[in-house]
Amino acid sequence: MALLRSRTSSLNLFNRFLHQSLRVPNRNLSSVASDVCNQSTIESMKRDLLNLDINSQIGSCMPIASMRIGTFIHNIEVNPGQGGKLVRAAGTSAKILKEPKSRYCLIRLPSGAEKLIDTRCRATVGTVSNPSHGAKKLRKAGQSRWLGRRPVVRGVAMNPVDHPHGGGEGRSKSSGSYGKTSRTPWGKPCKCGFKTAKSRRRN
């Protein structure tokens, strides 16, 4: 329904613009002939506009409620009017899994996770360009420094005061105590399925 309203409004605006441009005084025979040609061109353009599917046009930005199921989208808003937050990396896209008829729409993100997004949020049809960005190889260490990436030092190579993996004789992540798992620099376990996300409050 929203798609039909957008088509009708764009068609009315197009008609108004063309009728104003055709109001020229003191027309002669050549101008009448050109008007006839213009009228035939206008009719063909009207037919094309009616058969035009906005959902199939890559780069169209619209609310998710105006899209169809199975559409690949990117640059998705999380809250209406906030601006694009999700699926913005090079070569990525998300897919609409359920028809956006209710308040929320189910979308599959590039990570494989499925998320409910408000249908009033806007998104862009298509996939982000430059899919080969991740396959690019850096020629030397200095090129990563040009990109603002600083060197990464292993925790095993540090002292115990700097990292939980530091110290000990030889390469030991346990720092002399048996049975400890890999940990972050702040002491949290980073393996064994340790949950780091905050639990949602449910009333």
Side-chain angles (χ1 to χ4, degrees):
M1 193 67 187
L3 182 62
L4 183 61
R5 284 199 298 267
S6 63
R7 285 182 182 173
T8 308
S9 61
S10 62
L11 192 59
N12 292 336
L13 184 63
F14 182 67
N15 283 332
R16 194 181 309 157
F17 173 74
L18 286 173
H19 284 309
Q20 288 178 357
S21 63
L22 289 176
R23 292 176 184 173
V24 181
N26 300 327
R27 296 189 300 174
N28 52 17
L29 187 60
S30 61
S31 64
V32 172
S34 64
D35 286 351
V36 172
C37 295
N38 288 337
Q39 287 293 338
S40 61
T41 308
I42 292 168
E43 293 299 326
S44 64
M45 290 178 76
K46 283 182 182 178
R47 286 193 296 271
D48 293 340
L49 277 173
L50 287 173
N51 296 327
L52 187 65
D53 187 7
I54 303 176
N55 282 287
S56 63
Q57 286 196 332
I58 295 175
S60 299
C61 182
M62 66 187 79
I64 298 176
S66 303
M67 298 181 182
R68 291 199 308 261
I69 184 173
T71 306
F72 287 96
I73 56 177
H74 66 275
N75 197 26
I76 309 167
E77 291 181 335
V78 178
N79 299 314
Q82 187 182 22
K85 299 293 181 184
L86 302 176
V87 194
R88 292 169 36 159
T92 56
S93 64
K95 187 177 181 181
I96 298 177
L97 298 181
K98 288 186 178 180
E99 196 72 32
K101 291 182 179 178
S102 61
R103 173 75 184 277
Y104 294 96
C105 176
L106 187 64
I107 293 176
R108 180 184 292 145
L109 300 176
S111 62
E114 297 178 358
K115 189 175 178 66
L116 288 171
I117 304 288
D118 197 327
T119 53
R120 297 173 297 173
C121 295
R122 300 175 71 87
T124 307
V125 179
T127 307
V128 187
S129 63
N130 198 12
S132 61
H133 174 72
K136 183 180 179 181
K137 290 187 177 181
L138 304 180
R139 293 179 287 110
K140 58 180 185 177
Q143 192 169 357
S144 63
R145 297 306 300 268
W146 299 341
L147 299 174
R149 301 171 187 165
R150 300 191 67 235
V152 178
V153 182
R154 295 170 299 130
V156 179
M158 297 181 186
N159 294 322
V161 70
D162 299 319
H163 199 281
H165 295 171
E169 297 295 331
R171 299 178 181 175
S172 61
K173 292 182 181 177
S174 59
S175 301
S177 59
Y178 178 75
K180 282 189 178 179
T181 59
S182 299
R183 295 179 181 272
T184 66
W186 302 275
K188 290 186 177 181
C190 53
K191 289 185 179 178
C192 305
F194 183 77
K195 299 192 181 296
T196 57
K198 294 181 179 179
S199 59
R200 296 181 180 179
R201 293 181 178 178
R202 296 184 178 178
N203 296 331

